[in-house]
Amino acid sequence: HTDGGRVALRYLASDDLEFSLAGDYTDTYADGQPDSKLTQHSATNFFNNLYSNGTIFSRFGVRFTADNRFLTGDPFKTYAYPVDPVAGKAFPPGQYTTAWGGLGKMQYRINDGLRLDVIAGYRTYQSDWMADGDQMPIDLNHTYNLQTHEQKTIEARLSGEGFDSKLEWTAGAYRYDAKSKLGGYVTLPAFAAILPNFNQNDRFTTESNSAFVHGIFHFSDALSFTGGLRYTDETKVYQFDHSPYLLVSTPLKYGSSHTDWKAGLDYRINEQVMVYASAATGFRSDGSQPRPFTQGQQKETVPAEELTSYEVGAKMDFFDRRLRVNVAVFQDDYDPRVVLSPGTQCNFPSNPEPGPVFRGLTGGTCPVGTEVGNSANRTGSPWFAYASAPGKDG
């Protein structure tokens, strides 16, 4: 169920100056995701068995690892319900989202060949929703999420023409400022011996500033060149707080800068056929490790991704524009590309320096010579690490 509204205003101050304002509001409720349990929980899982036999059976007389009564046999039916009967917690099964935002724009024609645009925007939302990880009326994994987000943007750009209208150009600057929070509660009763239920209280901030220039030069009525350049500088802060499981006391501060470009040629063979070729670069921002098990693991950031794309194609009209045919061949080259590369931390969890990621260790057994490897119990901490592919350490 969604209720929403939008209003937009336009004011023409003069032939050369225009102002626009717009605002919108949305309120949404959605039922829970329609999932159904298809298979019985495995009796070979140590933690499930421990919870099933030691806690659930003593209270309810049910061993869910040896009982198929939680299966409905129908993908359109489920016994799932967001309640933890052991801890006495219940969560709302649906998703509630409220969002609103506004936009202001000024357009000013300085002269026949020069124009100024300034655009400012604001947007925020709040959403709470529950994820049921077990699809049973007995809680094995529930995640209740409380999300908030707020962002402000402003852009100023100049555009115009030159060289007897052969050149069309745009130059400008852009700023993005955002704050987000992930709150809520996560239940993991089957893992209570090693990983307790915890509260979420993660906070994020992002500041991004960029400048850009873009132009199209018409060599003739048939041949045009397109070129562009953009510089982006980002600063981010991530405060990880999953108390009482893990609180990283010092926020992670990171960020990077990138210079991207675009170049292309297009040629109109006749009124019906145009061919083109282009190349461009782009990036995905660097990030933070999303699932640390120790404070030290949060120090390792997820590297940025970079992309170079190439495209060659043609756009054609036939039969007095009754038929349009577009064809294209393109290639995207990622370098570097980020992949999940899980491993093991072999420094003690209390060590603020996690050391290198050890991958491929059987059972997480750390090698001799590491802090954990020299101890009586050589089992290290799991590490859901991300790295560039192929990883520098192979």
Side-chain angles (χ1 to χ4, degrees):
H1 180 91
T2 298
D3 295 312
R6 186 174 189 271
V7 61
L9 303 173
R10 181 181 181 221
Y11 175 62
L12 301 177
S14 68
D15 292 340
D16 298 322
L17 181 61
E18 177 181 327
F19 295 94
S20 300
L21 292 173
D24 62 87
Y25 175 86
T26 305
D27 186 81
T28 300
Y29 169 77
D31 288 332
Q33 186 172 347
D35 289 336
S36 181
K37 186 171 175 57
L38 301 180
T39 59
Q40 179 178 304
H41 270 79
S42 173
T44 61
N45 184 285
F46 172 79
F47 294 104
N48 283 343
N49 257 339
L50 183 66
Y51 186 60
S52 176
N53 298 333
T55 302
I56 299 302
F57 183 75
S58 63
R59 288 172 176 262
F60 306 110
V62 174
R63 288 187 172 92
F64 63 82
T65 55
D67 195 320
N68 63 4
R69 286 179 294 172
F70 295 110
L71 308 180
T72 65
D74 186 338
F76 298 100
K77 294 181 180 179
T78 181
Y79 297 136
Y81 199 74
V83 62
D84 178 2
V86 176
K89 291 183 179 293
F91 307 98
Q95 177 175 354
Y96 300 85
T97 302
T98 300
W100 66 275
L103 171 72
K105 184 176 182 179
M106 182 196 75
Q107 298 171 287
Y108 178 55
R109 185 173 61 182
I110 300 173
N111 54 49
D112 289 340
L114 189 62
R115 172 174 160 170
L116 171 66
D117 292 273
V118 179
I119 307 170
Y122 175 84
R123 183 152 297 276
T124 182
Y125 75 83
Q126 179 174 321
S127 180
D128 65 274
W129 54 278
M130 201 282 302
D132 190 335
D134 52 72
Q135 298 301 310
M136 295 195 305
I138 298 173
D139 177 30
L140 292 182
N141 174 218
H142 289 159
T143 304
Y144 182 50
N145 300 280
L146 297 167
Q147 294 177 285
T148 61
H149 174 79
E150 180 186 49
Q151 68 179 53
K152 303 171 186 176
T153 61
I154 186 167
E155 177 177 345
R157 62 174 182 254
L158 281 170
S159 56
E161 297 178 351
F163 300 100
D164 295 327
S165 299
K166 289 185 176 181
L167 174 65
E168 303 172 54
W169 61 270
T170 299
Y174 176 81
R175 177 176 173 81
Y176 171 87
D177 189 352
K179 297 179 181 179
S180 302
K181 178 183 177 181
L182 173 61
Y185 190 74
V186 177
T187 66
L188 297 165
F191 291 85
I194 61 169
L195 189 60
N197 298 344
F198 56 85
N199 294 289
Q200 299 180 119
N201 191 28
D202 297 345
R203 298 176 183 271
F204 318 80
T205 62
T206 300
E207 292 183 5
S208 177
N209 298 287
S210 57
F212 56 89
V213 61
H214 181 268
I216 303 174
F217 190 83
H218 303 278
F219 293 100
S220 65
D221 291 340
L223 180 63
S224 297
F225 171 79
T226 300
L229 193 68
R230 186 183 191 101
Y231 174 78
T232 305
D233 182 74
E234 294 186 324
T235 302
K236 302 180 180 183
V237 179
Y238 179 27
Q239 174 68 67
F240 184 89
D241 182 357
H242 284 184
S243 301
Y245 159 55
L246 177 62
L247 168 63
V248 180
S249 56
T250 302
L252 177 67
K253 298 180 180 181
Y254 58 104
S256 57
S257 59
H258 301 266
T259 300
D260 293 296
W261 54 266
K262 178 180 181 178
L265 280 171
D266 59 82
Y267 181 70
R268 183 169 292 279
I269 298 174
N270 52 45
E271 289 295 324
Q272 290 76 40
V273 180
M274 186 269 284
V275 295
Y276 67 93
S278 67
T281 64
F283 72 95
R284 184 201 62 82
S285 301
D286 50 339
S288 58
Q289 298 287 350
R291 191 170 292 178
F293 284 87
T294 69
Q295 289 210 25
Q297 290 178 12
Q298 188 57 49
K299 287 187 173 184
E300 302 295 323
T301 59
V302 178
E305 289 183 324
E306 296 181 356
L307 176 92
T308 304
S309 64
Y310 308 90
E311 183 174 350
V312 177
K315 299 181 182 295
M316 298 165 283
D317 290 329
F318 301 103
F319 307 115
D320 293 329
R321 302 184 69 178
R322 291 186 175 91
L323 174 65
R324 172 163 293 175
V325 179
N326 297 333
V327 296
V329 177
F330 56 88
Q331 175 177 311
D332 292 338
D333 290 338
Y334 274 100
D335 187 18
R337 179 174 62 88
V338 172
V339 295
L340 175 62
S341 184
T344 303
Q345 175 182 328
C346 288
N347 279 357
F348 290 130
S350 58
N351 191 334
E353 299 300 328
V357 181
F358 288 87
R359 299 180 173 90
L361 299 181
T362 302
T365 302
C366 291
V368 176
T370 62
E371 288 184 353
V372 177
N374 291 337
S375 64
N377 182 3
R378 295 174 56 193
T379 303
S381 303
W383 194 343
F384 287 98
Y386 286 76
S388 299
K392 295 180 180 179
D393 56 357

